[in-house]
Amino acid sequence: MATYGYHDNKQSHLNRLRRIEGQVRGLQRMVEDDAYCIDILTQTSAVNKALRSFALSMLDEHLKHCVAHAVANGGEEAEIKVREASDAVARLVRS
Amino acid sequence: MATYGYHDNKQSHLNRLRRIEGQVRGLQRMVEDDAYCIDILTQTSAVNKALRSFALSMLDEHLKHCVAHAVANGGEEAEIKVREASDAVARLVRS
Amino acid sequence: MATYGYHDNKQSHLNRLRRIEGQVRGLQRMVEDDAYCIDILTQTSAVNKALRSFALSMLDEHLKHCVAHAVANGGEEAEIKVREASDAVARLVRS
Amino acid sequence: MATYGYHDNKQSHLNRLRRIEGQVRGLQRMVEDDAYCIDILTQTSAVNKALRSFALSMLDEHLKHCVAHAVANGGEEAEIKVREASDAVARLVRS
């Protein structure tokens, strides 16, 4: 069965995402408890940063494994993978 | 009891954050199910966008209510609120 | 004659923008001289950072002077100024 | 003589950068002429977008040519190129 570049670090990615889920629930509690707007904004920026770090490490593994593998095999698949990665970076930069 | 600018839209903010929490759990399922890296990245960009929208609407209400109120009252509090808002924007832009 | 919030720091803003112009010309020379892509990207990120710092300091002065002034006067003008500032932040965060 | 991935589109990259230089000079004129802060901010967001588009197209060509070439050749050079590209994306996302 084919697995992707991030497979070896799956547990570490899941732990990261669970921390992010916890941070989002923390934001909900802040809103429920009428926390100060600026404190909510500071926490939101922290979640954004954590999500970007997750995305960057996912992308790094994708380039290292999936894209590198496809490029080594050559052909049309290689082109598709590179275009896909490029588009994903563009979405990330604009998100 | 003092409440903040987002108070009137509290339920709508909570709904938004719950959807974001659901999206983060969706990311966890994708990683668990060995989803394709690019699909995970696309979904991560969507969560980032949702978080930014939340932050921008929180900031908008903060400017409209808390900052406007403090500025109308004048004095040192007004200056503090404006500086705080400026700093929050800078963190948001960089996150 | 009415002037805006950044007026007192006009010269410092102009100096900043001239440095940014110089950085953009530096990028042109790099492309002309067939510099390495990654070095061009690093320099582009530096220009982006400089532009954002310029925008953040412009926004800070706008909030401190123009918005604060309008809010102190109250009325519809205050509302317009706050909405404008909010929209400018949204554009900045998304750019 | 070795050239890089963007070589074939060199003229189009230079034209883009010249337009960006023109936009930055436009910002200087706006500051000199005491233009309204919000209009300056709108124009700054436009320059930021133009710079990011330039960076994304430069990165796309780098992945398609330089990285793909190195990966096809294999060895340590391939690894270095992929890591470099990853780091450049991280800087771009954070800038």
Side-chain angles (χ1 to χ4, degrees), chain C residues 43-79:
Chain C
Q43 179 64 4
T44 307
S45 294
V47 186
N48 248 323
K49 274 203 174 162
L51 262 171
R52 281 190 186 272
S53 290
F54 165 74
L56 288 170
S57 92
M58 182 61 64
L59 182 77
D60 179 61
E61 289 168 11
H62 182 61
L63 290 174
K64 262 195 265 188
H65 300 279
C66 313
V67 177
H69 189 75
V71 168
N73 286 344
E76 211 192 333
E77 182 66 12
E79 264 181 62

Side-chain angles (χ1 to χ4, degrees), chain D residues 10 52 65 68 77 80 95:
Chain D
K10 199 166 158 168
R52 281 192 185 269
H65 299 279
E77 182 67 11
I80 292 173
S95 76

Side-chain angles (χ1 to χ4, degrees), chain C residues 4 6-7 10 17-18 21 25 28 31-32 34-37 41-42 48 52 62 81 84 91, chain D residues 4 6-7 10 17-18 21 25 28 31-32 34-37 42 48 52 55 62 81 84 91:
Chain C
Y4 294 111
Y6 61 86
H7 191 78
K10 199 165 155 169
L17 287 171
R18 275 178 202 133
E21 186 193 336
R25 269 206 300 269
Q28 292 168 22
V31 170
E32 267 163 10
D34 295 305
Y36 183 40
C37 323
L41 285 170
T42 304
N48 248 323
R52 281 190 186 272
H62 182 61
K81 289 287 183 221
E84 259 185 9
R91 277 192 300 273
Chain D
Y4 295 111
Y6 63 86
H7 192 78
K10 199 166 158 168
L17 287 170
R18 275 176 204 136
E21 186 194 337
R25 269 205 301 266
Q28 292 167 23
V31 171
E32 270 162 9
D34 295 305
Y36 182 41
C37 325
T42 304
N48 248 323
R52 281 192 185 269
H62 182 62
K81 289 287 182 220
E84 259 184 10
R91 276 191 302 273

Side-chain angles (χ1 to χ4, degrees), chain B residues 46-59:
Chain B
V47 186
N48 248 323
K49 273 203 175 164
L51 263 171
R52 282 192 184 268
S53 288
F54 165 75
L56 288 171
S57 90
M58 182 63 62
L59 180 78

Side-chain angles (χ1 to χ4, degrees), chain D residues 67-85:
Chain D
V67 177
H69 189 76
V71 168
N73 286 346
E76 208 192 335
E77 182 67 11
E79 264 180 61
I80 292 173
K81 289 287 182 220
V82 169
R83 201 176 323 131
E84 259 184 10

